[in-house]
Amino acid sequence: GQQVMQIPQYQHVQEGEDFTTYCNSSTTLSNIQWYKQRPGGHPVFLIQLVKSGEVKKQKRLTFQFGEAKKNSSLHITATQTTDVGTYFCAGRAGTYKYIFGTGTRLKVLA
Amino acid sequence: NAGVTQTPKFQVLKTGQSMTLQCAQDMNHEYMSWYRQDPGMGLRLIHYSVGAGITDQGEVPNGYNVSRSTTEDFPLRLLSAAPSQTSVYFCASSQGTGRTEAFFGQGTRLTVV
């Protein structure tokens, strides 16, 4: 079945450093979404990527969808303490099901 | 705006007991789903529904039942609780069938002893 892996599992950074999490699917995806979950909270939608090679930016966050539509990345420039949380990708492969990655937990040290 | 409402927020069950986790949304969304979240495992899809009367299995459906008699409600039933079902459960809904953002409920933290 479809699998979505995410690396790294954990990342500790100093405030102001950059951060990147990678998402890899075992199958070609129709689209991919990214979510953020604050500690003790629920996942909150960040963005959706649909086209091969697509790049989208939200302030300090840059999202990319691979050319083969099997991988994606989220890059945060100059992290802030408000970026703390777990970042999940969720991929859909032609069905109604979204399969979530295992998530990357980000800790930002002030 | 209520969004997606899950009840209860916390629950402790004894092994073998059954219970229903409630999920309701007020956004007239067609698509609803249930996930469980365990440490290091991310969010795993249990069951989902693309509309009233239509449900299907996700990645980890064993031990769980769902039904969708109305657009608004999507309850998750644990038939005979087991310690392996100790987890945080999230319900989510979205408009349409795939290309829109999912809205998550606050979660239900379930412990089976």
Side-chain angles (χ1 to χ4, degrees):
Chain A
Q2 180 191 350
Q3 290 186 329
V4 178
M5 304 300 293
Q6 233 179 304
I7 55 170
Q9 191 173 2
Y10 301 98
Q11 184 83 56
H12 293 182
V13 299
Q14 288 290 137
E15 190 174 19
E17 291 183 338
D18 292 356
F19 159 77
T20 304
T21 173
Y22 300 91
C23 183
N24 294 292
S25 170
S26 57
T27 57
T28 302
L29 300 171
S30 303
N31 57 293
I32 195 161
Q33 297 178 339
W34 284 91
Y35 291 81
K36 176 183 179 181
Q37 183 179 26
R38 294 185 188 276
H42 59 280
V44 175
F45 176 83
L46 292 176
I47 208 159
Q48 174 170 269
L49 305 170
V50 177
K51 298 177 184 174
S52 167
E54 190 169 13
V55 177
K56 285 189 176 180
K57 292 192 176 185
Q58 286 180 350
K59 297 183 181 177
R60 295 178 294 105
L61 278 61
T62 302
F63 304 84
Q64 289 190 311
F65 200 8
E67 294 289 341
K69 300 184 78 173
K70 294 182 75 172
N71 55 71
S72 181
S73 65
L74 157 60
H75 179 81
I76 301 178
T77 303
T79 55
Q80 299 175 358
T81 53
T82 53
D83 295 325
V84 163
T86 301
Y87 293 84
F88 291 98
C89 61
R92 188 172 72 95
T95 67
Y96 300 124
K97 293 190 280 193
Y98 271 97
I99 303 300
F100 276 73
T102 46
T104 296
R105 186 182 296 179
L106 173 65
K107 244 184 179 176
V108 180
L109 307 170
Chain B
N1 267 348
V4 180
T5 303
Q6 285 184 241
T7 55
K9 286 189 169 51
F10 302 93
Q11 182 72 49
V12 179
L13 286 180
K14 292 183 178 178
T15 298
Q17 286 185 315
S18 62
M19 82 158 292
T20 299
L21 307 186
Q22 301 292 344
C23 175
Q25 52 93 6
D26 62 358
M27 297 173 282
N28 201 31
H29 285 171
E30 297 173 4
Y31 186 91
M32 296 186 74
S33 53
W34 276 101
Y35 292 88
R36 60 177 289 173
Q37 184 172 30
D38 303 294
M41 304 288 288
L43 290 147
R44 291 184 291 168
L45 181 64
I46 305 172
H47 285 286
Y48 66 98
S49 168
V50 300
I54 306 169
T55 63
D56 206 347
Q57 296 181 348
E59 303 169 89
V60 288
N62 292 340
Y64 307 94
N65 270 357
V66 292
S67 60
R68 184 97 179 268
S69 55
T70 67
T71 299
E72 295 78 18
D73 300 300
F74 191 44
L76 178 72
R77 280 183 289 278
L78 279 70
L79 309 172
S80 176
S84 60
Q85 293 179 305
T86 293
S87 188
V88 180
Y89 291 85
F90 287 101
C91 177
S93 75
S94 61
Q95 190 174 20
T97 50
R99 285 199 165 195
T100 57
E101 67 177 283
F103 293 85
F104 282 80
Q106 299 294 321
T108 295
R109 186 173 294 274
L110 175 68
T111 302
V112 183
V113 298

